Amino acid sequence: MSRPDHVRARPRISVLTPVHDTPADVLAACLASVRDQTSTDLEHVVVDDASAAPHVRPQLEAAAAADPRVRVLRCETNLGIAGASGTALEAARGEIVALLDHDDLLAPTALARVAEAFASAPDVDYVYSDEDVLTADGRRIEPFFKPDWSPERFRNQMYTCHLSAIRADLARDVGGFRPGFDGAQDWDLVVRVAGLARRIVHVPEVLYHWRLIETSVLAGEEA
């Protein structure tokens, strides 16, 4: 049976997560936030960027053994967040890649809402959502309700940030994550993506929770 023109198949999403010495409980929560998505057509590409912490490797191996959607790659030398993100992008098998830092969380419906946005029209190339901050004691604070796509604002602020999801082919075509942009690797990529994207969609829902811990970007260090 043919599919009606107004009904489009939802694309498979690859969640990209570079990991480096993430605290065990924080990493477990991050992995669980992907595992427990309401949308099941996904893969979680996790790149261990030569972590020295002894718990990271067995914890990731256990996650992959428990869930075939988890794919773990390991870097023998530390590549930095841009290099590790690039490794994840090249390994991704989904039509869409979504960016998740190793110490953050996705809302349970995040990937379903992103998939709906991409399925809404064939020319959607980049989707972003609203976000907030999760404190150490579990409180959600500082919601960021973003405007729809604004090239002028984007030139001065990486306001789209998380959750960001991009057509994988486009992300690769523009050169992916470039070395030397650690800490600003997402902005550098999306600048190039936005220049070629046919349509950019804002999902006005908080789908991403930044974790406020010592190792997070919000605490002044790279994720």
Side-chain angles (χ1 to χ4, degrees):
M1 180 180 296
S2 62
R3 182 182 302 273
D5 289 341
H6 67 282
V7 178
R8 302 181 187 280
R10 296 183 183 182
R12 187 182 193 195
I13 299 177
S14 297
V15 179
L16 311 184
T17 303
V19 168
H20 183 73
D21 289 343
T22 320
D25 59 334
V26 172
L27 181 56
C30 176
L31 294 169
S33 79
V34 179
R35 181 194 66 213
D36 296 338
Q37 288 292 299
T38 59
S39 174
T40 58
D41 192 9
L42 63 91
E43 67 169 359
H44 195 181
V45 184
V46 183
V47 175
D48 179 4
D49 193 18
S51 294
H55 68 272
V56 172
R57 188 167 189 169
Q59 187 173 0
L60 293 179
E61 289 174 349
D67 187 343
R69 299 174 302 172
V70 179
R71 297 174 55 211
V72 177
L73 295 82
R74 179 173 171 80
C75 303
E76 295 305 319
T77 59
N78 182 263
L79 302 179
I81 190 170
S85 296
T87 298
L89 174 60
E90 289 308 309
R93 297 169 180 163
E95 299 168 63
I96 308 301
V97 292
L99 312 181
L100 172 64
D101 290 344
H102 64 165
D103 46 12
D104 294 336
L105 304 173
L106 296 180
T109 59
L111 299 186
R113 296 293 289 117
V114 165
E116 289 171 4
F118 276 101
S120 67
D123 59 348
V124 176
D125 285 330
Y126 176 48
V127 171
Y128 66 96
S129 77
D130 297 341
E131 61 193 62
D132 65 12
V133 174
L134 186 67
T135 65
D137 60 359
R139 290 179 298 118
R140 288 174 53 187
I141 62 173
E142 300 180 15
F144 181 14
F145 302 114
K146 304 169 186 176
D148 288 342
W149 176 242
S150 169
E152 294 79 12
R153 180 165 181 167
F154 187 75
R155 293 188 189 101
N156 296 284
Q157 178 193 16
M158 176 41 168
Y159 78 91
T160 61
C161 206
H162 292 306
L163 176 63
S164 278
I166 308 163
R167 286 205 181 273
D169 287 346
L170 177 57
R172 296 185 183 108
D173 286 347
V174 298
F177 296 94
R178 298 191 294 184
F181 286 88
D182 291 325
Q185 71 285 337
D186 295 351
W187 196 358
D188 173 62
L189 172 60
V190 176
V191 164
R192 288 173 281 127
V193 165
L196 294 179
R198 295 166 296 173
R199 184 182 301 191
I200 297 173
V201 174
H202 169 220
V203 178
E205 299 176 34
V206 175
L207 302 180
Y208 192 97
H209 311 302
W210 292 82
R211 292 286 294 265
L212 187 58
I213 59 175
E214 291 183 358
T215 58
S216 71
V217 171
L218 294 181
E221 299 183 14
E222 291 178 10

